[in-house]
Amino acid sequence: MGPNAEYIKLIAADEKEFFVKKADAVEVSKTIRRILDGPSQCKEGEINQIELSNITSPTLKIVCDFLAYRAQVNKLEEGEDARDFPIRPEDAVDVLKAANFLDC
Amino acid sequence: MDVFLVIRRKKTTIFTDCKDSATVLELKKIVEGITKIPPADQRLYTTNSAIMEDSKTLQDYGFNATTSKAQNPTSIGLTFKLSSGEFEDLELCPYSTPPELPDVMKSQDANGQEQAS
């Protein structure tokens, strides 16, 4: 059962599943864009599912929140205020590693 | 206004957004698109474990743009109807706990907040 083309499934290290809109993920994360839309046909592109066994579920939840937040900020009008995205210091290390891997 | 939601069931989390004037039924259709379970076999719960009715809108349950921002979406529970006709119990597997901070990080203040961009 693969999700339809609008949502993709991201699987964390502990097999928790996170569904996000494909448009948001592809727009914000260059790594996800390369995997799904790249010139070669990756298996992930066919089943719309990416396993991220190096990212734990609490970190992946923060990443998914950020994908939604960043996509919303991109749609804001000029001059409109974008509220900050809060990150706790204890999460910062894992979030940085994930952000580096996902290139966003 | 857009309302950002996180729909959770056991090991699954669905990040989505919709208008606060959208009905619960529209939300179930989004879930159907992802899980292939028809709206009739789904049940959505608010944070107080109250069952959400199809005809009500998200606004009726208090979800609006100020409470449901993208950086901090509201959680909604989801259960499916089993083959016996009964609905599952609402069960959310908690996320795993982060590892213990190394000693070098413990004595610092919260000044060094990094933001992923």
Side-chain angles (χ1 to χ4, degrees):
Chain A
M1 173 220 89
N4 62 17
E6 206 195 321
Y7 285 81
I8 56 174
K9 182 155 77 166
L10 304 174
I11 305 179
D14 47 3
E15 297 181 10
K16 297 277 188 321
E17 301 171 345
F18 292 79
F19 292 88
V20 287
K21 288 203 180 149
K22 182 174 179 183
D24 290 352
V26 163
E27 178 187 345
V28 178
S29 164
K30 300 194 188 62
T31 307
I32 294 184
R33 190 184 313 152
R34 274 181 235 131
I35 294 177
L36 297 180
D37 293 348
S40 60
Q41 258 310 3
C42 290
K43 181 172 166 225
E44 280 91 351
E46 289 166 36
I47 57 178
N48 284 322
Q49 179 177 307
I50 303 182
E51 283 183 19
L52 299 163
S53 49
N54 50 347
I55 304 183
T56 60
S57 52
T59 309
L60 193 48
K61 164 138 195 330
I62 298 177
V63 170
C64 291
D65 282 340
F66 179 76
L67 292 177
Y69 164 78
R70 188 82 180 98
Q72 187 202 20
V73 166
N74 286 344
K75 289 190 199 121
L76 285 179
E77 304 284 325
E78 287 277 331
E80 227 178 291
D81 188 31
R83 288 144 301 184
D84 285 338
F85 185 75
I87 299 183
R88 301 177 315 163
E90 356 2 322
D91 303 326
V93 175
D94 286 330
V95 169
L96 261 180
K97 283 171 17 190
N100 184 46
F101 175 71
L102 295 173
D103 206 353
C104 65
Chain B
M1 287 301 301
D2 278 335
V3 171
F4 291 87
L5 306 168
V6 164
I7 305 178
R8 301 187 55 195
R9 170 191 173 261
K10 296 196 186 181
K11 285 194 173 184
T12 309
T13 312
I14 302 176
F15 286 76
T16 185
D17 60 77
C18 47
K19 297 267 174 275
D20 56 0
S21 51
T23 61
V24 172
L25 187 57
E26 284 178 41
L27 204 52
K28 289 190 178 178
K29 286 209 180 300
I30 293 180
V31 176
E32 179 187 11
I34 298 175
T35 58
K36 310 285 182 274
I37 305 285
D41 291 346
Q42 296 173 28
R43 216 184 242 181
L44 295 176
Y45 297 77
T46 64
T47 28
N48 306 330
S49 297
I51 301 181
M52 295 171 73
E53 290 169 39
D54 291 357
S55 48
K56 295 257 192 336
T57 65
L58 298 180
Q59 238 169 12
D60 290 338
Y61 285 103
F63 300 136
N64 54 40
T66 9
T67 58
S68 311
K69 302 189 278 267
Q71 324 60 315
N72 195 14
T74 325
S75 264
I76 291 190
L78 170 69
T79 59
F80 296 146
K81 192 185 275 186
L82 301 166
S83 47
S84 60
E86 295 281 317
F87 271 96
E88 306 170 312
D89 291 330
L90 185 59
E91 183 195 329
L92 303 175
C93 293
Y95 303 127
S96 40
T97 47
E100 183 75 20
L101 274 183
D103 288 336
V104 281
M105 289 185 72
K106 276 189 187 162
S107 51
Q108 278 185 8
D109 295 338
N111 288 342
Q113 262 207 352
E114 312 270 1
Q115 183 162 26
S117 62

